[in-house]
Amino acid sequence: MTSEIDLRSFAGLSSEEAHTRLQTEGHNELPSEKPRSVFAIIREVVREPMFLLLLGGGGVYLLVGDVQEGLILLSFVFVVMGITFYQERRTERTLAALRDLSSPRALVIREGSEQRIAGRDVVRDDIVVLHEGDRVPADGVLLSSTNLSIDESLLTGESAPVRKAASRPATDVARPGGDDTPFVYSGTLVVRGQGVAQIRAIGAETEIGRIGTAIRSIDVQRTRLQQQTGRLVRSIALAGFVLFIIVVVAYGALRGNWLEGLLAGIAVAMAMLPEEFPVVLTVFLVLGAWRISKQQVLTRKAPAVETLGAATVLCTDKTGTITLNRMTVKTLATDSTQYDVEFDSQDRLPERYHELVEYSVLASQRDPFDPMEKAFKKLGEHYLATTEHLHADWTLVREYPLSEHLLALSHVWRSPNGGDYIIAAKGAPEAIADLCHFDEVQLRCLVDRVTTLADRGLRVLGVAKAQFRPAELPPEQHEFAFEFLGLIGLVDPIRPTVPQAVQECYSAGIRVIMITGDYPGTARSIAEQIGLLPRDSIITGPELETIDDKMLQERLPDVSIFARTVPEQKLRIVRALKANHQVVAMTGDGVNDAPAMKAADIGVAMGARGTDVAREASSLVLLDDDFSSIVQAVALGRRIYDNIKKAMGYILAIHVPIAGITLLPVLFNWPLILFPIHIAFLELIIDPASSIAFEAEPADPNVMKRPPRHPSEPLFTRRQLSVHLLQGVIILVIVMLLHVAASAFGQSENQARTIAFAALVFANITLILSDRSWSEGFFRSLRRPNRPLWYIVGGAIVFLAGALYIPSLQALFRFAPLSAAWLAASVAAGAVSLLCFEGLEIVLRRTFRT
């Protein structure tokens, strides 16, 4: 039978001592920061320039009596406030997830008896009993253990469990990772054996607590697009305010009517206020999140959708991200032969390997937690299910555990028919060689074979068998006469979609960097399998400790593999990349990835296998854990950014003629052409066109064939900005020429206004159609599907027809009946605008390609 730990020698704390420590040192949980109040969040939101513009725009509409439009604009303010407030609350879940993970139920010894208590009530110096399947409630040091192995991938990223060995006297808790240490860590999982540990650190002082502290210390910065848009909005708002003052003063001084001057100034301010900008950002990112969800990617922070399209570096953890985090037997090796296991193949396992598989199963638990033992069980069920080599009816008599001096374990079995004991052993190849009493020649041959397998990135174990006549079993495994059976190589397989995804990243100009807690040999093997470049240069965690930040920044361009890293180093790598002006996306699934994910421009968590901590610290979550989904997300992010630029370029262009047509009559003492009601009508076209029609535009054909935009690239280059402003000037000149011509040909003030307004609407429609694509001409872009666009164009024409020919609307808009000839002239104005736009579009396409 399996040996048990004698718990009678552990008295533990008294109830009074535990209560005192709980009162003085607090609960075993991570401290939570006091959430900001609703008013604090609202105060911060309304300080943003774009939201102030929304408030100002809504106020202007209310002042001129357009309550409906004013309330619509103000409603956007409250919608954005609600989204911001919701996101604020969601960020607090990172720490909540850490608290939940670090506070499982715990079995403690107090006053000499076992008690099951809440993990949050564990105190320093408590004696905790650990069994298979338990989560460790706090950091501690082992006082006693039997064959104890713990999965620490949560903290280290290493897929294989580590062995634990008790230590007396207890020492201070060291860092996680490595075999045969006496330390256990909060949140890690016991996969084999049992142990008794004395708690040394609780709450924020634990290893997982320090990660939580690192997460709290990271400031989340606004995205570059948000910063650039904010600057652009501030500039336009300042220009609008200056023009408002000029119009009011000029109108009042020239005409002596200060009230009409105020109304004219309000009209100019309304024409200049780019209130569509924040609406565009909100709608594009929300709809982008919806579109990206169809690619199995959940968006937790909307701006990350656009930012992902600008990513220049993708940092990825190995375990569970590139690999499946599921150990699988890859190779079986006997003295002279080798067999590569293919579970998808229908081939039978050669007879010479049956005994090797049989005894690997016998040396494992029947219902294992250990990933390697699970792999052995799967191998046996796959190949030996119809043979006599599986023994469900055998009885486990005794288990010889691993020890510091012999890294091998043995199981002693007996069949229902009696007879000799059957002993199965597995462990480190050198330990199995020791049990089999290899000579120097045999040992040298074994080392060569193990090295060959290890160079392929395999974790290698040896297997041996023995028989023993019924008698008192010996105290040590060495007293059995073991026969060596062979080696088993295990691998944590890569995800099948990863190699292609890596190559797609390279074609899109995105670097891929692997950051792992595994050994350099394993990391290099994985890099070769997925096509990661370059593979020759590797920086290890210990080496990283010896170089400063400046040297790290200098070496980063030539290194794509970091091995044997710890969480703080992942965070340091991400920060160094950002210091090199890279846009960094960081993927991961464990607690150890959370600080680096939060510090990156985009944190991407694995949804199926990832921890709650990783998901809550991330911006995006891959619901299917498929690495290739990131590539589709990058393509969508680039499409979104392109369409945002198109929409904002259109907004800039159309505001030029609206502002000019409003301003010029004031300066030249002409009758006013546009009033607030006309601008409100135009907004019925501009708002949906900019926020819906452009959002629905398909991606340009070359979206994943070009490098990422430079991190310092402005939203618009000077050349692009000039083209959009020129588009607006073209419309302004054509409309004003038509207005002057109408007046010269004897048309009344209202008729001239009607002609100019109709021409402005048609020119607006052609501007929308022209700005759809920068890589295709107007007629080719007409073949691109975009149903919302045609609804908006059709709606604009219908609304215009109503305003022109319905008497009540004519009076509201101060229009006059329009003849067929002048209507044709207005349509022609739009056509002429289109021809001019196409000439400018050629310039813009060249700019876009460069």
Side-chain angles (χ1 to χ4, degrees):
M1 61 181 177
T2 305
S3 58
E4 298 283 343
I5 296 176
D6 185 3
L7 301 178
R8 291 174 294 181
S9 60
F10 302 102
L13 298 175
S14 68
S15 298
E16 185 178 345
E17 287 175 318
H19 178 74
T20 301
R21 295 203 174 187
L22 192 63
Q23 295 299 314
T24 57
E25 299 181 6
H27 288 282
N28 176 36
E29 58 188 9
L30 298 184
S32 58
E33 296 178 349
K34 184 179 180 181
R36 290 189 298 166
S37 67
V38 175
F39 296 106
I41 296 173
I42 292 175
R43 187 168 58 251
E44 181 175 311
V45 170
V46 299
R47 273 191 248 170
E48 290 291 327
M50 60 179 62
F51 297 127
L52 289 174
L53 286 172
L54 274 177
L55 286 171
V60 168
Y61 279 115
L62 293 177
L63 284 174
V64 299
D66 194 333
V67 177
Q68 181 179 2
E69 188 69 19
L71 292 178
I72 289 174
L73 281 181
L74 292 176
S75 69
F76 281 122
V77 174
F78 294 107
V79 168
V80 175
M81 281 183 182
I83 293 173
T84 304
F85 180 77
Y86 176 72
Q87 291 293 346
E88 179 77 15
R89 290 293 181 258
R90 286 289 296 270
T91 57
E92 295 172 10
R93 295 184 186 177
T94 301
L95 297 178
L98 276 169
R99 289 195 295 273
D100 292 341
L101 190 59
S102 63
S103 186
R105 300 284 292 175
L107 182 62
V108 300
I109 299 176
R110 289 183 180 172
E111 298 181 336
S113 62
E114 297 178 55
Q115 300 178 27
R116 182 73 66 176
I117 65 173
R120 69 190 300 268
D121 293 333
V122 171
V123 298
R124 190 169 50 82
D125 287 335
D126 251 331
I127 303 298
V128 177
V129 183
L130 303 172
H131 295 286
E132 286 185 2
D134 287 348
R135 286 272 179 197
V136 180
D139 289 5
V141 62
L142 286 172
L143 304 179
S144 179
S145 64
T146 301
N147 202 23
L148 183 66
S149 293
I150 294 182
D151 179 358
E152 294 182 350
S153 62
L154 190 75
L155 297 171
T156 65
E158 296 182 37
S159 54
V162 293
R163 299 183 304 272
K164 296 294 179 179
S167 172
R168 284 182 182 270
T171 56
D172 292 334
V173 178
R175 299 304 306 276
D179 290 317
D180 300 320
T181 66
F183 309 112
V184 295
Y185 303 94
S186 176
T188 58
L189 179 67
V190 179
V191 298
R192 184 183 181 87
Q194 55 185 304
V196 176
Q198 184 176 35
I199 299 304
R200 283 286 182 258
I202 63 171
E205 300 302 317
T206 62
E207 189 69 23
I208 198 173
R210 283 190 285 271
I211 294 176
T213 302
I215 293 175
R216 287 197 303 276
S217 67
I218 298 170
D219 293 326
V220 180
Q221 299 178 344
R222 300 172 70 206
T223 67
R224 291 172 174 81
L225 180 60
Q226 290 171 321
Q227 295 171 5
Q228 292 172 354
T229 305
R231 287 194 295 268
L232 184 60
V233 168
R234 283 192 294 270
S235 300
I236 296 176
L238 179 61
F241 177 75
V242 171
L243 284 177
F244 170 79
I245 299 298
I246 292 174
V247 168
V248 172
V249 173
Y251 197 101
L254 293 175
R255 306 189 185 190
N257 191 329
W258 290 95
L259 179 59
E260 287 189 8
L262 179 62
L263 292 174
I266 289 173
V268 171
M270 289 173 62
M272 290 293 295
L273 285 176
E275 70 271 10
E276 300 91 355
F277 278 10
V279 177
V280 164
L281 281 181
T282 301
V283 171
F284 273 55
L285 296 179
V286 170
L287 289 181
W290 171 72
R291 293 183 188 280
I292 206 172
S293 68
K294 294 183 177 181
Q295 305 295 335
Q296 296 298 304
V297 180
L298 173 66
T299 304
R300 295 193 62 257
K301 299 172 185 176
V305 178
E306 173 276 323
T307 308
L308 186 61
T312 59
V313 178
L314 175 58
C315 295
T316 174
D317 185 36
K318 178 188 74 70
T319 304
T321 307
I322 290 176
T323 67
L324 293 169
N325 197 18
R326 186 174 66 237
M327 298 299 290
T328 300
V329 174
K330 180 64 177 175
T331 300
L332 304 174
T334 61
D335 289 335
S336 57
T337 61
Q338 184 171 305
Y339 181 82
D340 286 335
V341 176
E342 297 291 343
F343 286 99
D344 295 332
S345 172
Q346 299 300 316
D347 295 343
R348 293 177 177 270
L349 182 68
E351 182 67 32
R352 69 174 67 94
Y353 299 104
H354 282 200
E355 203 171 37
L356 175 59
V357 177
E358 173 188 5
Y359 278 84
S360 72
V361 175
L362 286 172
S364 305
Q365 298 291 330
R366 288 193 188 276
D367 187 17
F369 278 88
D370 187 292
M372 288 184 289
E373 294 191 349
K374 286 182 178 180
F376 295 149
K377 182 179 181 181
K378 177 184 176 183
L379 181 69
E381 291 173 345
H382 182 77
Y383 283 119
L384 304 181
T386 59
T387 71
E388 72 282 2
H389 294 287
L390 293 183
H391 311 285
D393 57 345
W394 283 18
T395 302
L396 179 63
V397 177
R398 182 170 177 178
E399 180 177 356
Y400 291 88
L402 293 165
S403 68
E404 291 184 59
H405 309 292
L406 186 65
L407 301 180
L409 61 85
S410 297
H411 284 178
V412 180
W413 297 89
R414 196 165 191 180
S415 74
N417 301 325
D420 291 349
Y421 291 118
I422 302 299
I423 301 97
K426 76 173 191 297
E430 62 274 16
I432 296 298
D434 186 14
L435 289 177
C436 296
H437 304 290
F438 273 19
D439 58 29
E440 289 188 12
V441 175
Q442 290 174 307
L443 187 58
R444 192 159 47 247
C445 291
L446 179 68
V447 169
D448 290 341
R449 299 210 68 185
V450 170
T451 302
T452 301
L453 294 173
D455 287 342
R456 293 171 53 191
L458 301 178
R459 185 179 179 90
V460 185
L461 294 181
V463 179
K465 71 172 184 177
Q467 282 185 271
F468 191 78
R469 290 186 178 278
E472 185 177 350
L473 290 170
E476 301 288 341
Q477 302 176 68
H478 263 297
E479 299 187 33
F480 295 115
F482 279 105
E483 174 188 348
F484 183 75
L485 294 178
L487 301 171
I488 298 182
L490 300 101
V491 66
D492 183 4
I494 64 169
R495 296 181 180 275
T497 56
V498 170
Q500 181 181 352
V502 170
Q503 294 309 310
E504 289 185 55
C505 286
Y506 287 156
S507 10
I510 302 171
R511 283 186 64 199
V512 180
I513 294 178
M514 181 169 64
I515 307 174
T516 177
D518 263 323
Y519 289 94
T522 304
R524 184 180 285 109
S525 174
I526 294 294
E528 186 173 352
Q529 293 178 59
I530 65 174
L532 189 67
L533 296 172
R535 294 189 287 270
D536 297 333
S537 180
I538 298 178
I539 295 180
T540 64
E543 183 182 357
L544 199 56
E545 293 288 345
T546 64
I547 61 177
D548 58 22
D549 290 342
K550 184 177 180 181
M551 184 177 295
L552 176 59
Q553 289 176 231
E554 292 174 353
R555 294 190 59 182
L556 273 174
D558 303 317
V559 177
S560 293
I561 303 173
F562 289 84
R564 302 302 293 165
T565 57
V566 296
E568 290 82 355
Q569 292 172 333
K570 293 184 180 184
L571 181 59
R572 186 181 169 201
I573 293 166
V574 168
R575 284 174 167 165
L577 285 166
K578 293 180 72 174
N580 279 352
H581 308 292
Q582 302 294 319
V583 180
V584 184
M586 170 73 189
T587 72
D589 65 347
V591 173
N592 60 311
D593 301 319
M597 288 168 61
K598 188 172 181 183
D601 295 284
I602 317 104
V604 185
M606 301 295 116
R609 300 184 62 87
T611 62
D612 288 342
V613 177
R615 286 191 289 269
E616 293 296 335
S618 66
S619 305
L620 303 173
V621 179
L622 301 185
L623 298 178
D624 57 1
D625 285 9
D626 191 341
F627 186 87
S628 64
S629 297
I630 302 174
V631 179
Q632 280 115 12
V634 169
L636 185 55
R638 292 186 175 189
R639 166 189 165 180
I640 290 170
Y641 183 78
D642 288 350
N643 289 345
I644 286 175
K645 287 189 69 170
K646 295 173 188 176
M648 291 190 172
Y650 159 73
I651 292 169
L652 285 174
I654 196 59
H655 273 276
V656 170
I658 295 174
I661 293 170
T662 307
L663 180 62
L664 289 177
V666 176
L667 299 180
F668 292 98
N669 201 20
W670 296 340
L672 294 179
I673 300 175
L674 296 182
F675 293 96
I677 185 62
H678 301 118
I679 299 172
F681 178 93
L682 290 170
E683 290 295 336
L684 293 178
I685 304 173
I686 297 171
D687 284 348
S690 59
S691 60
I692 298 176
F694 282 106
E695 193 283 329
E697 272 299 305
D700 285 317
N702 67 338
V703 70
M704 289 299 284
K705 301 297 182 184
R706 64 175 191 253
R709 65 181 186 272
H710 194 276
S712 61
E713 176 187 315
L715 184 61
F716 296 111
T717 64
R718 289 185 179 180
R719 193 174 182 183
Q720 291 170 341
L721 186 61
S722 299
V723 170
H724 289 303
L725 293 178
L726 278 173
Q727 286 179 320
V729 170
I730 288 170
I731 296 176
L732 174 61
V733 170
I734 290 174
V735 171
M736 290 305 299
L737 286 176
L738 191 60
H739 180 270
V740 170
S743 299
F745 280 97
Q747 300 295 306
S748 67
E749 178 184 325
N750 284 353
Q751 286 174 324
R753 177 183 298 112
T754 307
I755 294 167
F757 186 81
L760 180 59
V761 170
F762 286 118
N764 186 13
I765 291 173
T766 59
L767 177 65
I768 296 170
L769 297 175
S770 178
D771 280 356
R772 289 182 63 193
S773 175
W774 299 336
S775 59
E776 298 176 323
F778 168 74
F779 294 102
R780 291 187 65 184
S781 68
L782 289 178
R783 297 195 295 267
R784 294 157 62 92
N786 190 334
R787 186 177 297 177
L789 169 69
W790 300 113
Y791 286 151
I792 292 168
V793 170
I797 294 174
V798 170
F799 289 155
L800 177 62
L804 293 179
Y805 298 108
I806 297 176
S808 59
L809 292 180
Q810 281 184 0
L812 181 64
F813 282 87
R814 304 186 193 184
F815 286 165
L818 195 62
S819 67
W822 284 109
L823 179 61
S826 299
V827 173
V832 173
S833 300
L834 178 63
L835 293 176
C836 297
F837 297 156
E838 282 300 288
L840 288 175
E841 196 76 28
I842 295 173
V843 177
L844 188 59
R845 284 201 295 271
R846 290 175 180 171
T847 304
F848 181 70
R849 286 171 182 164
T850 58

